[in-house]
Every structure is written in structure tokens, then in C-alpha cells.
Amino acid sequence: MKATVKAHTNIALIKYWGKRDERLFLPTNNSLSVTLDKFYTITTVEFDEQLTSDQFYLNGNEAEAKETKKVVTFLNRVREKANSTLFAKVTSENHVPTAAGFASSASGYAALAAAAAKAIGLNLNERELSQLARQGSGSASRSIFGGYVEWEKGMESDGSDCYATPILDRDAWDLRVLSVEVTTKAKKVLSREGMKRTVETSPFFAGWLEAVDKDLITIKEALQEKDFTKLGQVVEANALKMHATTLGANPPFMYWQSATVEVMQEVQALREKGIEAYFTIDAGPNVKVVCQPDDEQKIHEALNALPVVNEIHHCRVGPGITYIAD
Ligand code: ADP
Ligand code: DP6
């Protein structure tokens, strides 16, 4: 009744931004990500007849009530699937800053889904695990898999055709992602709240939906052709379009800080000097820079020289979930 799983975070190259069903975490658009080797979560779940409620320990401490509530809601879905009434102790370590735009929710819920399913005796395949992880946090559906992954929005109202699938192996293209940390403070507007507000109030959201389908076609061509310039250009443009929707929301909001803009401008300056680097940004102020192995060091030096940069984490393309023996 106990299982431990390691899951890595992923960074969306084409963003998931908007839900068509909030309860089931069904998105308004397909998204495409790359799993990262450097950042991960290890979660242990133990169902125990002695427990009278679920317990959630995150990074060594009992989690806050609102975090625990989300985990309990998730465990309720697992119990329902397994026809069980047992409570669980969940212990999780994030080897990634929590709620700072480093996708802790993606690795967190992918690890929780796989560990909880195994511990309760559900025998789910990876597609089913992706669907389950999705119901904890949408981006977690992609973290079940390694390499380059597409999450299908699906058409069905019950979510039965809404899951992620691997589209290119991690060994097929050795891209690098520099995760440029300007702050590790938790963000003010969580992704969940941010995308909801955007869907409900931003007049730019319709433009986002129109653009994202085209961006997906372009990135899939780039992945097939291993055309880095094509990939980088669409990655950067897609992130900018996602962030533009937040400026049109009511009330408007912005994930960038001045340090974010400085990093973005340095990336663009590097390109003018002939060094190919492209940025993407999730729901937070930190910047991820996508590049090819030969340019990684030069890009590191240029970005590290900016006073606003705290730390640069170097990531390669990472693996899918792994089960750890207890
Ligand atoms: P991030 O940029 O870190 O993904 P999000 O706002 O998307 O930020 O998600 C952060 C939330 O994800 C946390 O507030 C918490 O509810 C959840 N979370 C983070 N780590 C874990 C974990 N290891 N297990 C379960 N839930 C987690
Ligand atoms: C900007 O997966 O954290 O990182 O489904 O509400 O938990 P919920 O949201 P979450 O949103 C991620 C948004 C994003 C883009 C992406 O990862 O695709």
C-alpha cells in the first residue's frame, strides 16, 4: 500500500493557457513541452487503515491547508477509481522551487498520480496516468513522459480523449534549456487563477486560440526537420502571445518583473551577435532560454553577467516517471 515515484518538470514550448472544463482540467488548446532532467519531485504515498484523514508533508513540513485541500481532492479521485475508503500519508520533496514558475505543480502531480495509483493497487498504463495526473494540474499530464510531449486537448466532455503522448524521444534532439532565476519568491497570481481570469475577461484570448494552432503546426515541423531557428522563433513568439493575453484581462496582470525584461532583451541582443538563443516564460518572472549545446556556455556567460540574475540552472531533455523501490 506504499509507493514512491520520481517525476520531472516540463517546460511548455507551446503553452497550455485556458481551460474548457475546470473540474476535469480540460484545456482549450493542445500544448507541447520538453521534460527537464534537472528539476524533479519525489513523492511517497502510503494508504493506511490506521489514518482518519489524509496527511500531506511538502519539503519536510506539514503543508498549508490550501495545498492539502488540493491533494485531498486529488486523492478522492484516486479512491473513487479504486473503490477504496483508505486515507493516505503523502510525503513529497520538490527538487525545484515551489510555485515560482518552475513547474513544481507538473512534477508534483505527475509523481503523486503515479505513486497514489500504484499504492492503492490501480494498474494504470502511462496514458491513463497522464489523464489522472491532469486532474491534479494540467501540465502534470505531460510530465508522465520524457522527451518532447504533446498534450491533446480532446473533444469529449468526460476527458476520455484528453491526455499527453510522447512525440519525440529525449535522445532524438539534444536541446538545452537554461533556467534563469531572477527570484524564487512564490508568484502572486497562480497559473490556475491567471488562466481563468484570462479566459473569462481578456478580449485577446480569442486571438490566442487562433494563433496557438498555427504555432503547433510550425513547432511539429521544426521538431521533425530539427530546424532550431524555426523552433526557437515559434517558442518565443508563442510565449509572448500567452503573456499578452494577461494584459487584456480584468483586472490586468503581468508575470514579468523588470529583471525578466532585462533577460529577454539580453537574449535578443545575443541573437543580434549571431548566438542563437530564444526565451520562453511560464506563469512567473523567471526566464527559460532554449539553445543548442555549442552555444550553452557563451549564453551562460552573457546572462550570468547581468546583475539581476541570481542563478542559472542548466537542463537537458529529461526522462519520464520512474518508480523507486522502498
Ligand atoms: P509552479 O510554477 O511551481 O508550477 P503553480 O502555481 O503552477 O506553480 O503550482 C504550484 C502549486 O502546485 C503549489 O501551490 C501546490 O499546490 C502544488 N504543488 C507543488 N509541488 C507539489 C508537490 N510536490 N505535490 C503536490 N502538489 C504540489
Ligand atoms: C503557463 O498546469 O500549473 O505553465 O492546470 O490549473 O494546475 P493548472 O495549471 P498549470 O498551468 C501551466 C501553465 C503554464 C503553461 C504550460 O505549462 O503549458
Side-chain angles (χ1 to χ4, degrees), residues 57 200 229 255 261 281 286 290 317 326:
Y57 294 87
E200 286 170 359
T229 306
Y255 287 112
V261 179
I281 306 163
N286 297 305
V290 186
V317 184
D326 289 306

Side-chain angles (χ1 to χ4, degrees), residues 205-222:
F205 189 69
W208 159 253
L209 287 183
E210 216 175 284
V212 75
D213 282 341
K214 294 190 194 114
D215 290 349
L216 277 155
I217 293 172
T218 308
I219 200 164
K220 284 198 233 172
E221 283 168 8

Side-chain angles (χ1 to χ4, degrees), residues 10-17 19 25 31-33 103 105-106 109 134 136-140 142 151 187 191-193 195 242-243 255 281-283:
N10 69 78
I11 172 84
L13 301 175
I14 301 296
K15 306 296 181 193
Y16 147 49
W17 196 243
K19 291 186 183 72
F25 294 75
S31 55
L32 194 146
S33 63
S105 61
Y109 277 95
R134 187 199 79 218
S137 183
S139 52
R142 301 184 306 236
W151 173 22
K187 54 203 174 198
S191 333
R192 190 158 306 176
E193 191 188 321
M195 70 176 86
M242 178 205 120
H243 286 270
Y255 287 112
I281 306 163
D282 277 345

Side-chain angles (χ1 to χ4, degrees), residues 3-258:
T4 300
V5 171
K6 178 178 184 185
H8 290 255
T9 64
N10 69 78
I11 172 84
L13 301 175
I14 301 296
K15 306 296 181 193
Y16 147 49
W17 196 243
K19 291 186 183 72
R20 63 183 167 94
D21 182 317
E22 281 170 33
R23 196 184 68 85
L24 289 174
F25 294 75
L26 303 179
T28 49
N29 62 273
N30 287 23
S31 55
L32 194 146
S33 63
V34 57
T35 304
L36 301 178
D37 68 343
K38 169 102 189 218
F39 297 130
Y40 57 90
T41 297
I42 296 182
T43 299
T44 301
V45 178
E46 184 166 20
F47 288 93
D48 184 344
E49 318 183 310
Q50 309 292 323
L51 293 175
T52 52
S53 64
D54 292 316
Q55 299 172 357
F56 177 37
Y57 294 87
L58 182 58
N59 300 331
N61 301 309
E62 196 163 354
E64 283 174 32
K66 75 173 197 308
E67 308 297 352
T68 305
K69 194 169 163 236
K70 285 195 245 175
V71 166
V72 170
T73 306
F74 185 78
L75 290 172
N76 285 340
R77 290 178 197 222
V78 176
R79 278 187 280 263
E80 200 185 316
K81 254 182 175 311
N83 215 352
S84 166
T85 52
L86 292 178
F87 292 110
K89 180 178 177 191
V90 176
T91 316
S92 187
E93 292 292 332
N94 280 342
H95 297 258
V96 47
T98 304
F102 284 99
S104 64
S105 61
S107 53
Y109 277 95
L112 179 60
K118 178 135 195 269
I120 211 162
L122 284 170
N123 191 14
L124 303 185
N125 62 30
E126 286 183 323
R127 178 172 286 183
E128 290 165 328
L129 282 177
S130 171
Q131 286 179 307
L132 179 62
R134 187 199 79 218
Q135 296 173 62
S137 183
S139 52
S141 65
R142 301 184 306 236
S143 269
I144 297 297
F145 302 101
Y148 301 81
V149 181
E150 183 173 13
W151 173 22
E152 303 277 344
K153 67 175 191 269
M155 303 289 286
E156 303 296 337
S157 55
D158 64 357
S160 53
D161 56 352
C162 181
Y163 44 76
T165 39
I167 57 165
L168 189 67
D169 250 31
R170 66 189 286 225
D171 304 327
W173 199 3
D174 180 18
L175 289 185
R176 305 291 165 88
V177 178
L178 273 59
S179 198
V180 184
E181 183 186 308
V182 296
T183 174
T184 49
K185 271 204 223 119
K187 54 203 174 198
K188 288 199 200 86
V189 184
L190 290 173
S191 333
R192 190 158 306 176
E193 191 188 321
M195 70 176 86
K196 181 172 158 62
R197 196 187 301 171
T198 304
V199 171
E200 286 170 359
T201 66
S202 178
F204 305 151
F205 189 69
W208 159 253
L209 287 183
E210 216 175 284
V212 75
D213 282 341
K214 294 190 194 114
D215 290 349
L216 277 155
I217 293 172
T218 308
I219 200 164
K220 284 198 233 172
E221 283 168 8
L223 285 170
Q224 203 166 30
E225 296 157 8
K226 310 253 164 42
D227 181 337
F228 182 68
T229 306
K230 195 177 202 174
L231 179 125
Q233 284 174 348
V234 72
V235 165
E236 193 169 296
N238 184 265
L240 289 169
K241 281 179 278 202
M242 178 205 120
H243 286 270
T245 66
T246 72
L247 302 181
N250 184 16
F253 61 106
M254 190 196 250
Y255 287 112
W256 305 347
Q257 295 178 1
S258 53

